[in-house]
């Protein structure tokens, strides 16, 4: 049985949570392998809406074991706040497993994230201020704190001392802030030790044994391809690996066990935060997409920047991730438009680029080259087969499929779990 990776194909917010939930009844494990509580999934089940920030969306499916992998950074306060919220709504969270190797976000990294963004001013990245970047930096600098460190106070104290030795110079001498004490940080983290202990496991071993038994493992990305620290629009990216390669390093599952790479792509494009965005709209069309699509961040509430579908980005995502299937979401948001532009290439200083420009400067100056497809006015939210869609909606799906480098297997036609058209089964 397969390991399946679900990846965002744009700048995030494509609807990965819905796709994960769609597959949830067919899989045994759902693994979050990167990021932290800096992004969210909104899942609608019946008349119930769930906003998840740190937890894998598979936690909502009975019988599925949700896993927070080693590639995630964990804000323990947020973790227990989310768990308590779900328990209050009758959700069973007892199966959750957390990697002993996942890094935790201490309070000093949340503070550092916020003051650094303010200090950068116009050069700010547009982070969520939740300490994600500084915690990943600590991981790479080998001064990070892992979940397993909570169970050895001596080691935890030594690691906090090592991290604060440098950070307190930044707080006091650069940012004019008060120094953080080792004692306060150790006390903050130890307060969670007993509660988190029953959830902690060698999740890499757990997942590989599950695959050996013939069970299905779903690997769920936080953020998306264009926010990947290596393959995204650097430096306006996240601090982790959000592509299919990150699914392996962030979970402990080897590449040879990945069977399918499912990329989620919106029928238009959105972005939160700073950075270049070739198809971005600053007119009534952009306002229309934002309002009809409810394009406001699940975690931050920030309005998302909106633009037309970008086939150049989709092709790039297909190549970088080895996409086998696309899930096209929010097709219903385009209903009522007379004609729909689709970006098929970029013009950079008079030179056409059919693929992503190799350098940041060219991408920043890229002007979209559009083709125009006819729109439709019929309500498509009740469609459950491809044939039930209006002819122009079908033509739109087929056209962007031909431009995007992989087949479109699923089409989302509304926010609910049921509002889905399956062209090719994912499992």
């Amino acid at each position: 049985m397969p390991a399946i990776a679900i990846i965002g194909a744009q700048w995030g917010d494509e609807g990965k949570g819905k796709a994960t939930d769609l597959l949830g009844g067919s899989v045994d494990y759902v693994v979050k392998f990167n990021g932290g509580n800096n992004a969210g999934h909104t899942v609608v089940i019946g008349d119930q809406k769930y906003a998840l920030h740190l937890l894998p969306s598979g936690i909502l499916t009975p019988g599925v074991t949700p896993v927070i992998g080693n590639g995630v950074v964990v804000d323990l306060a947020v973790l227990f706040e989310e768990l308590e919220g779900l328990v209050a709504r009758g959700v069973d969270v007892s199966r959750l497993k957390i990697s002993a190797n996942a890094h935790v976000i201490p309070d000093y990294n949340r503070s550092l994230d916020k003051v650094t963004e303010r200090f950068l001013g116009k050069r700010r990245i547009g982070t969520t201020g939740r300490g994600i970047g500084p915690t990943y930096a600590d991981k790479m600098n080998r001064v990070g704190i892992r979940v397993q460190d909570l169970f050895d106070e001596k080691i935890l104290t030594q690691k906090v001392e090592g991290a604060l030795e440098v950070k307190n110079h930044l707080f006091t001498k650069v940012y004019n802030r008060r120094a953080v004490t080792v004692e306060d940080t150790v006390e903050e983290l130890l307060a969670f030790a007993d509660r988190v202990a029953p959830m902690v496991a060698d999740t890499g071993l757990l997942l590989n044994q599950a695959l050996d038994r013939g069970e299905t493992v779903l690997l769920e990305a936080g953020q998306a391809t264009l926010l990947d620290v290596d393959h995204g629009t650097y430096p306006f990216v996240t601090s982790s690996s959000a592509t299919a390669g990150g699914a392996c390093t962030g979970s402990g599952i080897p590449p040879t066990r990945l069977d399918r790479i499912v990329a989620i792509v919106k029928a238009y494009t959105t972005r939160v935060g700073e950075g270049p965005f070739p198809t971005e709209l600053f007119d009534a069309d952009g306002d229309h997409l934002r309002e009809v699509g409810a394009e406001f961040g699940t975690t931050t509430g920030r309005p998302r920047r909106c633009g037309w579908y970008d086939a150049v980005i989709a092709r790039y995502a297909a190549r970088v991730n080895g996409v086998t299937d696309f899930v096209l979401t929010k097709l219903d948001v385009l209903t009522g438009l007379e004609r729909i532009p689709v970006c098929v290439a970029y013009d950079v200083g008079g030179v056409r680029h059919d693929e992503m420009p190799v350098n940041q400067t060219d991408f920043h100056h890229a002007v979209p080259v559009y083709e125009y497809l006819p729109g439709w006015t019929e309500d498509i939210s009740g469609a459950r087969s491809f044939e039930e869609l209006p002819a122009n909606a079908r033509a739109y799906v087929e056209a962007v499929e031909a431009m995007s480098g992989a087949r479109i297997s699923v089409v989302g036609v509304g926010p609910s779990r049921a509002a889905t058209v399956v062209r090719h089964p994912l499992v």
Side-chain angles (χ1 to χ4, degrees), residues 3 18 131 144 162 167 188 193 210 277 323 343-344 362 366 374 385 389 406:
K18 179 179 179 181
K167 289 180 191 291
E188 168 212 339
F277 181 179
V323 172
C343 174
V344 296
D362 284 350
S385 70
L389 293 173

Side-chain angles (χ1 to χ4, degrees), residues 158-333:
Q158 290 173 349
K159 289 195 170 187
V160 172
E161 285 174 346
L164 287 178
E165 189 173 347
V166 173
K167 289 180 191 291
N168 273 334
H169 285 289
L170 280 173
F171 282 127
T172 59
K173 297 176 182 177
V174 177
Y175 299 126
N176 196 29
R177 294 293 194 277
R178 186 180 303 152
V180 179
T181 70
V182 173
E183 294 75 18
D184 285 349
T185 301
V186 170
E187 182 181 355
E188 168 212 339
L189 296 173
L190 284 179
F192 296 103
D194 289 343
R195 295 175 70 190
V196 78
M199 308 172 190
V200 178
D202 181 346
T203 53
L205 176 63
L206 182 75
L207 296 170
N208 277 280
Q209 288 176 335
L211 289 169
D212 289 341
R213 292 192 299 268
E215 296 176 310
T216 301
V217 174
L218 188 64
L219 299 143
E220 170 186 71
Q223 291 86 39
T225 299
L226 273 294
L227 292 175
D228 185 273
V229 69
D230 285 293
H231 302 291
T233 48
Y234 190 89
F236 303 101
V237 293
T238 194
S239 305
S240 60
S241 299
T243 45
C248 297
T249 57
S251 68
I253 290 177
T256 51
R257 306 207 78 159
L258 280 180
D259 182 76
R260 226 159 192 183
I261 312 294
V262 179
I264 317 304
V265 63
K266 208 174 283 187
Y268 49 101
T269 311
T270 63
R271 176 168 197 171
V272 170
E274 307 298 321
F277 181 179
T279 69
E280 184 172 10
L281 297 166
F282 301 95
D283 56 12
D285 285 332
D287 293 338
H288 173 81
L289 293 176
R290 187 176 301 107
E291 293 303 320
V292 176
E295 296 297 350
F296 300 90
T298 302
T299 294
T300 63
R302 289 187 290 183
R304 295 174 186 144
R305 300 157 63 189
C306 295
W308 300 120
Y309 188 89
D310 190 328
V312 181
I313 285 174
R315 287 195 294 273
Y316 177 73
R319 172 165 55 85
V320 167
N321 293 293
V323 172
T324 59
D325 303 82
F326 277 115
V327 174
L328 183 76
T329 61
K330 291 197 168 185
L331 184 66
D332 53 302
V333 174

Side-chain angles (χ1 to χ4, degrees), residues 100-155:
N101 291 338
H103 283 242
V104 299
I105 302 174
D107 189 55
Y108 56 71
N109 277 344
R110 288 188 289 271
S111 300
L112 185 61
D113 199 356
K114 292 170 185 173
V115 297
T116 301
E117 277 286 278
R118 286 197 291 268
F119 185 80
L120 287 171
K122 291 181 179 179
R123 294 180 293 110
R124 67 188 182 276
I125 302 300
T127 78
T128 59
R130 286 164 167 77
I132 310 296
T135 302
Y136 276 114
D138 284 356
K139 178 178 179 177
M140 295 306 172
N141 286 327
R142 290 158 291 182
V143 294
I145 298 165
R146 299 190 293 180
V147 169
Q148 61 181 280
D149 298 330
L150 303 183
F151 312 122
D152 188 322
E153 185 173 350
K154 184 178 179 181
I155 285 178

Side-chain angles (χ1 to χ4, degrees), residues 371-392:
E371 287 185 8
Y372 295 88
L373 301 174
W376 60 92
T377 57
E378 300 93 330
D379 179 7
I380 66 171
S381 62
R384 296 297 178 265
S385 70
F386 194 62
E387 292 69 31
E388 292 179 68
L389 293 173
N392 285 352

Side-chain angles (χ1 to χ4, degrees), residues 50 52 55 59-60 82-91 93:
Y50 299 86
L52 303 174
L55 294 169
I59 201 163
L60 299 171
E82 282 198 37
L83 289 173
E84 289 162 5
L86 290 178
V87 169
R89 298 176 68 176
V91 177
V93 300

Side-chain angles (χ1 to χ4, degrees), residues 344-360:
V344 296
Y346 302 139
D347 181 292
V348 182
V351 178
R352 181 183 171 110
H353 290 250
D354 291 299
E355 302 292 342
M356 286 281 285
V358 71
N359 63 60
Q360 176 187 341

